[in-house]
Amino acid sequence: MCIGINYIIMKHRMKIGFLLMFLLPLIGVGQSDSFETRNVLLKEIIIQNEKNLNNSKEKKQPADLQTSTDQILDGINGVSMIKRGNFALEPTIRGLNAGQINVTIDGMAMFGACTDKMDPVSSYIEPNNLQSITVSYGANDMAYGSSIGGGFDFKIKQPRLNAIKKWSGMAGVGYETNGNALQTLAAVNYSTKKLGINLNGIFRNSQNYKAAKREEIKFSQYSKWNGGLSAKYKLKENHFLQFNYIQDEGYNIGYPALTMDVEFAKAKIGSFSHIFHSNTGALQHVETKVYYNYIDHAMDDTKRPKEQVPMHMDMPGTSQTFGFYSEAAWALENHDIKIKINGYQNQLHAEMTMYPVNGAEMYMLTIPDAQRKLIGLNISDRYAINKYLSLLMGGRIDFTSSSIFSQEGEKILSGMFKGALSRNSILYNVFLNPVYKVQKNLSVYANIARAMRQGTLQEMYGFYLFNRLDGYDYIGNPDIKNETSWNAALGSIYQNEVVKIELQAYSYFMKNYIAGVQKPGYSVMTIGANGVKQFSNLPSAILSGVEASGEFKISPTVSFVSTNSFNYGKDNEGGALPMIAPFKTVNQLAYKGEKISLGITGLVSAAQKHVNTEKYGETTTPAFGIINLKAGKDFKLITTTLSLNAGVDNLLDTYYMEHLDIMKIPRMGRNFVVHATVYF
């Protein structure tokens, strides 16, 4: 691995032959069956990596709470981020995104309000109010909804009852030289035997960042604040009431890869729950939650130079969701059974007002008041057949109703589509995951699932949504068929006190793949657009890949971690699927002493040449390699702890972009980072 890092320094890139050589030592070793979930440590965020539900694993992140949510997600194997600016990157799982995956906060369904995907759900939660991230791959965990590609669930930090300290908290400040970025954060915890309260907040602000060689990336600035309140009350033994509220507001957010910026992006997220939890008896857990979230978002072009704005326009949008879920878990002899029923109603509204230089204002709805109602049931059972073999099986069924809830919206779409616009659909998903313990330290497993998902409200009812990637205006299709997939995976893991090595290969065989198909004869709405496309079904598509990772404990204080992923996708005509990241390897050598931590990380991405420019607008991306350094030290100060963290991102000031970066806007050059946090 040291050879690989030296090669980055000398060449700033790595050839495919070496990447394949890197994988060879990992092939043939396999995947473990660790069932427990460890306690959350004070300064850590836990990633629960549920590649199969028999195998709930965790990836612990560095103790620096001032790391962004985007950075945490980007460090998870199999996850890549779509970048449109320096803020609110959109997460993908194995090349699947948007309606193909679920993204929830504490089990609550949420949907962005922006037609240009400037506000993914992950942008509305920060590490200061985040306890853990559950990542599911494929259709092996559908507790949060039907999907083809799995999803993310961001767990909100839980208040503690009967903690050692009645009052505790933290406060911190951070600075980054690239972009002159500043952030401050604080949290206060109150704990008694019956009541726990957590209050936290963070403020972030950044000017335009600079790529390598000090090239300024204009319109990459942002400013935001986020606050959270959680309260937990013990009614009686094993019974609790809990209230959670998060408010997130961003302002003056630039998007250099897009034609417009964001004036503001605001979210209000609230929930109330009753929880029963017991470690004895068959019934172990029952939780019932009601929730509401509201997102208000407005695109803006007033800060762009006039020569870049052929016609000024305003594009506000809103998304509001009411929902509930109730779940229960039983631990019976040889069986762990989970049942969950959930439902929600989501309403989307997006509009556009155009202001011609010599003409009257023009107004239209781009998401014409679309809504979806859903009710679903999820059941799973982990059956321990014997001490060597266990079987996880389950299924989910959803009933959905999609429609237009305003006369204005119906009037806009009635001129384009004949007949009723409302659509009802039944979605069903099933999965089967056997796990076999070959020997003490070696297990193998398989995942088999039949999955389906309905087109999103944008895919069904969108009205001239501009796609910056291929330069086309998109219109919806109420008659679009459900996208379905047969998912299959085979993996193994070897683990002992010193080493953990994991390998998995997988494929998604999709039918009725949803993509844009060109509509000749349609007039564009966006000035300079290449044409008009309609969301339609392609007969089939295939997505396959391999993921390999290794964790090596060189000594009690020194460790080496390597994660590697590769995806390959093609449609029914053999052309490349869009937004598929190339081979990527991340290798980290770390030292963690009692008070001092050091780390060096090398990230290498191969070139992506498997693209379909004509059909999806993608272009090739060159290979790159970067190195990041970090260091941390804790100081004990009587009743408090001062944690100092410093680092250098992109040490060599490499000029690079990742394949999922829209319009190939270069990423940040060399960046010095300093964080100071006090815990009391």
Side-chain angles (χ1 to χ4, degrees):
M1 308 308 166
C2 294
I3 294 175
I5 293 176
N6 289 334
Y7 198 34
I8 300 170
I9 296 174
M10 293 184 295
K11 300 293 186 181
H12 287 220
R13 62 186 296 170
M14 186 172 286
K15 297 194 180 288
I16 298 297
F18 176 78
L19 299 179
L20 295 177
M21 288 173 60
F22 177 85
L23 271 180
L24 289 178
L26 296 177
I27 296 176
V29 281
Q31 169 112 23
S32 102
D33 55 348
S34 172
F35 302 138
E36 79 278 0
T37 298
R38 304 170 202 155
N39 291 331
V40 178
L41 301 182
L42 176 63
K43 295 186 290 182
E44 291 182 324
I45 292 172
I46 295 177
I47 309 300
Q48 297 184 2
N49 182 352
E50 298 191 354
K51 290 183 179 177
N52 67 83
L53 291 182
N54 268 6
N55 189 347
S56 178
K57 298 175 290 296
E58 302 169 354
K59 178 180 178 183
K60 295 182 179 179
Q61 298 299 317
D64 186 3
L65 286 180
Q66 300 194 48
T67 301
S68 71
T69 304
D70 288 343
Q71 290 171 320
I72 295 172
L73 289 170
D74 204 23
I76 303 173
N77 206 14
V79 175
S80 299
M81 308 296 286
I82 299 175
K83 185 174 186 291
R84 299 172 175 89
N86 194 29
F87 180 84
L89 279 63
E90 180 187 358
T92 72
I93 300 177
R94 295 174 173 173
L96 301 174
N97 62 88
Q100 296 172 318
I101 62 175
N102 290 313
V103 184
T104 56
I105 294 181
D106 226 24
M108 299 180 288
M110 287 185 62
F111 303 90
C114 177
T115 57
D116 282 354
K117 301 179 182 178
M118 293 174 170
D119 66 332
V121 171
S122 55
S123 68
Y124 293 117
I125 191 165
E126 289 283 339
N128 59 297
N129 47 42
L130 177 62
Q131 177 172 294
S132 66
I133 304 175
T134 301
V135 186
S136 57
Y137 297 75
N140 305 303
D141 178 10
M142 294 166 291
Y144 305 108
S146 296
S147 75
I148 287 175
F152 304 92
D153 184 48
F154 297 86
K155 293 292 184 184
I156 296 174
K157 189 172 293 183
Q158 303 293 303
R160 292 186 175 186
L161 300 182
N162 203 24
I164 296 176
K165 292 183 177 181
K166 187 174 184 178
W167 290 94
S168 63
M170 55 83 69
V173 62
Y175 178 74
E176 300 183 20
T177 59
N178 199 328
N180 195 28
L182 176 70
Q183 65 179 26
T184 59
L185 74 163
V188 176
N189 304 292
Y190 173 78
S191 178
T192 65
K193 290 184 178 180
K194 285 200 168 186
L195 178 64
I197 299 175
N198 174 269
L199 180 65
N200 58 76
I202 189 170
F203 171 78
R204 298 182 187 270
N205 183 80
S206 176
Q207 300 173 13
N208 292 336
Y209 75 84
K210 294 179 174 61
K213 313 307 178 187
R214 312 308 295 168
E215 176 189 344
E216 183 180 3
I217 306 302
K218 295 183 178 180
F219 313 111
S220 59
Q221 80 289 341
Y222 66 86
S223 180
K224 75 166 292 188
W225 66 267
N226 176 288
L229 171 65
S230 296
K232 189 173 186 178
Y233 179 74
K234 185 176 181 179
L235 288 171
K236 57 182 180 179
E237 192 66 25
N238 301 329
H239 288 266
F240 308 89
L241 293 178
Q242 185 161 315
F243 169 78
N244 291 315
Y245 178 76
I246 292 175
Q247 186 163 337
D248 186 283
E249 298 197 11
Y251 298 93
N252 186 27
I253 305 169
Y255 285 87
L258 303 179
T259 58
M260 300 185 73
D261 302 313
V262 168
E263 180 183 357
F264 61 80
K266 305 177 183 181
K268 297 178 175 65
I269 307 162
S271 67
F272 184 78
S273 308
H274 172 267
I275 302 168
F276 166 83
H277 189 78
S278 173
N279 294 321
T280 61
L283 183 61
Q284 303 254 305
H285 179 82
V286 179
E287 180 178 357
T288 300
K289 174 182 290 187
V290 292
Y291 62 87
Y292 171 76
N293 55 75
Y294 179 79
I295 297 174
D296 190 8
H297 186 277
M299 285 185 274
D300 173 52
D301 59 12
T302 57
K303 294 179 175 61
R304 295 291 179 100
K306 291 184 178 180
E307 59 271 17
Q308 293 185 12
V309 184
M311 180 170 57
H312 167 59
M313 61 183 67
D314 294 326
M315 296 184 67
T318 60
S319 170
Q320 61 176 337
T321 307
F322 300 87
F324 80 95
Y325 69 75
S326 186
E327 61 183 11
W330 291 267
L332 307 175
E333 184 178 2
N334 300 329
H335 290 272
D336 288 331
I337 299 174
K338 296 180 180 179
I339 297 178
K340 181 175 184 177
I341 183 171
N342 70 296
Y344 66 79
Q345 174 181 288
N346 170 245
Q347 293 185 334
L348 296 180
H349 169 93
E351 61 186 55
M352 177 170 63
T353 303
M354 294 169 282
Y355 303 90
V357 177
N358 298 310
E361 297 179 5
M362 296 184 291
Y363 171 85
M364 73 176 190
L365 294 178
T366 52
I367 300 182
D369 295 335
Q371 68 176 356
R372 174 164 294 164
K373 300 175 183 178
L374 178 145
I375 186 76
L377 174 66
N378 190 85
I379 301 175
S380 67
D381 178 21
R382 182 172 66 84
Y383 174 37
I385 299 174
N386 53 47
K387 64 179 181 179
Y388 301 105
L389 180 64
S390 63
L391 187 65
L392 179 70
M393 49 193 167
R396 179 178 180 88
I397 185 168
D398 285 323
F399 174 78
T400 69
S401 176
S402 305
S403 61
I404 303 299
F405 63 85
S406 75
Q407 292 184 349
E408 184 181 15
E410 289 185 348
K411 183 178 179 180
I412 287 177
L413 292 180
S414 62
M416 184 170 292
F417 306 111
K418 296 181 179 179
L421 295 171
S422 59
R423 297 290 184 273
N424 297 329
S425 184
I426 296 177
L427 309 174
Y428 59 92
N429 298 259
V430 293
F431 64 89
L432 183 67
N433 299 348
V435 176
Y436 182 70
K437 193 170 186 178
V438 179
Q439 51 181 260
K440 180 181 178 181
N441 299 320
L442 177 65
S443 296
V444 297
Y445 70 90
N447 296 339
I448 304 170
R450 196 274 187 186
M452 63 192 309
R453 65 106 175 177
Q454 190 175 16
T456 64
L457 291 177
Q458 291 89 336
E459 290 167 338
M460 293 179 67
Y461 301 116
F463 193 72
Y464 286 93
L465 307 178
F466 182 65
N467 185 338
R468 179 66 164 161
L469 184 63
D470 61 9
Y472 279 80
D473 282 332
Y474 278 64
I475 58 176
N477 182 357
D479 295 322
I480 201 166
K481 297 178 182 178
N482 293 333
E483 191 174 87
T484 62
S485 177
W486 280 98
N487 301 347
L490 184 64
S492 63
I493 187 169
Y494 177 84
Q495 181 176 9
N496 58 30
E497 295 79 7
V498 179
V499 63
K500 177 181 178 182
I501 303 178
E502 180 178 358
L503 178 70
Q504 181 177 177
Y506 54 85
S507 288
Y508 301 79
F509 303 93
M510 292 173 278
K511 183 180 178 182
N512 294 325
Y513 180 80
I514 298 176
V517 175
Q518 193 168 355
K519 300 290 288 185
Y522 279 61
S523 299
V524 302
M525 188 68 65
T526 303
I527 297 175
N530 296 324
V532 176
K533 289 184 177 181
Q534 184 176 34
F535 289 108
S536 305
N537 297 108
L538 303 185
S540 63
I542 297 176
L543 177 64
S544 299
V546 177
E547 291 170 358
S549 64
E551 300 178 19
F552 307 91
K553 192 174 182 180
I554 300 173
S555 75
T557 57
V558 180
S559 62
F560 178 80
V561 177
S562 177
T563 60
N564 310 268
S565 60
F566 172 75
N567 290 314
Y568 184 88
K570 60 181 182 179
D571 59 22
N572 60 300
E573 297 179 343
L577 293 181
M579 308 305 286
I580 305 295
F583 180 90
K584 183 178 180 179
T585 176
V586 181
N587 303 283
Q588 181 185 69
L589 183 65
Y591 166 82
K592 188 171 184 180
E594 186 175 346
K595 295 182 179 180
I596 299 176
S597 62
L598 301 169
I600 178 171
T601 301
L603 184 156
V604 175
S605 175
Q608 180 58 286
K609 299 180 180 179
H610 184 61
V611 297
N612 192 331
T613 304
E614 181 179 354
K615 196 169 187 177
Y616 301 112
E618 284 194 310
T619 57
T620 60
T621 307
F624 71 87
I626 62 172
I627 291 178
N628 301 325
L629 302 178
K630 65 177 182 179
K633 182 174 176 58
D634 290 343
F635 300 87
K636 296 293 184 181
L637 305 173
I638 308 177
T639 59
T640 65
T641 299
L642 171 63
S643 180
L644 296 179
N645 291 273
V648 186
D649 296 331
N650 194 358
L651 175 67
L652 305 177
D653 201 31
T654 301
Y655 187 90
Y656 76 104
M657 67 283 297
E658 298 205 24
H659 184 64
L660 271 60
D661 295 350
I662 304 297
M663 304 304 294
K664 299 296 188 291
I665 302 296
R667 293 227 173 182
M668 191 175 290
R670 186 182 295 113
N671 182 30
F672 293 91
V673 182
V674 180
H675 293 158
T677 311
V678 176
Y679 298 89
F680 59 87

